[in-house]
């Protein structure tokens, strides 16, 4: 039986019925360089040609900017497969990408690390 909202692509007992790399036609390399934190957003352009259900779902999720890692989680696909799907959508003009914001702070800055540690302590 399929999980709610997942249609025929997921089965409660068997898991994903379509293997992840089948979704990308076995491709493992995206045509566009994407980082896990790269932001992707729909352009509003209608993609030409056939798109699979995962492409359509990704496009729907990208109405607002989302990082690649979060999109992969929503799609329940490995990041490598997600990047291939997203690069297909970028190639046809349906998505645009923005690289992650550069660090404005030194990631080994003692004050920054202490602030993170204090925040974590407050959460515990």
């Amino acid at each position: 039986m399929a999980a709610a909202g997942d249609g025929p692509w997921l089965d409660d007992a068997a898991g994903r019925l379509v293997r992840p790399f089948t979704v990308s036609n076995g491709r493992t390399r995206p045509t566009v360089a994407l980082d896990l934190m790269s932001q992707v957003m729909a352009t509003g352009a209608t993609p030409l040609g056939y798109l699979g259900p995962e492409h359509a779902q990704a496009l729907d999720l990208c109405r607002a900017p989302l990082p690649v890692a979060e999109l992969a989680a929503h799609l329940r696909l490995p990041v490598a497969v997600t990047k291939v799907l997203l690069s297909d959508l970028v190639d046809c003009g349906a998505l645009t990408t923005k690289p992650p914001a550069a660090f404005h702070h030194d990631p080994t800055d003692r004050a920054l690390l202490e602030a993170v540690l204090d925040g974590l302590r407050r959460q515990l």
Side-chain angles (χ1 to χ4, degrees):
M1 173 165 202
D6 289 323
W9 303 109
L10 292 176
D11 182 277
D12 290 336
R16 180 173 280 281
L17 298 178
V18 176
R19 296 292 159 225
F21 286 96
T22 302
V23 172
S24 64
N25 294 324
R27 295 173 293 146
T28 58
R29 300 244 192 276
T31 57
V32 176
L34 294 168
D35 185 271
L36 286 176
M37 296 307 295
S38 294
Q39 298 284 312
V40 289
M41 184 172 176
T43 62
T46 304
L48 300 174
Y50 173 76
L51 292 179
E54 288 82 4
H55 286 95
Q57 186 180 8
L59 197 53
D60 186 51
L61 289 167
C62 291
R63 285 180 275 151
L66 275 178
V68 171
E70 187 174 338
L71 196 55
H74 284 298
L75 294 173
R76 297 181 186 174
L77 290 171
V79 172
V81 174
T82 301
K83 286 180 177 182
V84 171
L85 294 177
L86 294 176
S87 70
D88 291 345
L89 292 168
V90 169
D91 290 344
C92 72
L95 281 185
T96 186
T97 66
K98 180 180 173 188
F103 268 108
H104 295 293
H105 303 286
D106 176 10
T108 59
D109 178 36
R110 183 177 178 91
L112 175 63
L113 294 174
E114 286 176 356
V116 169
L117 184 58
D118 289 341
L120 290 172
R121 286 183 180 145
R122 281 192 296 265
Q123 295 296 319
L124 298 175

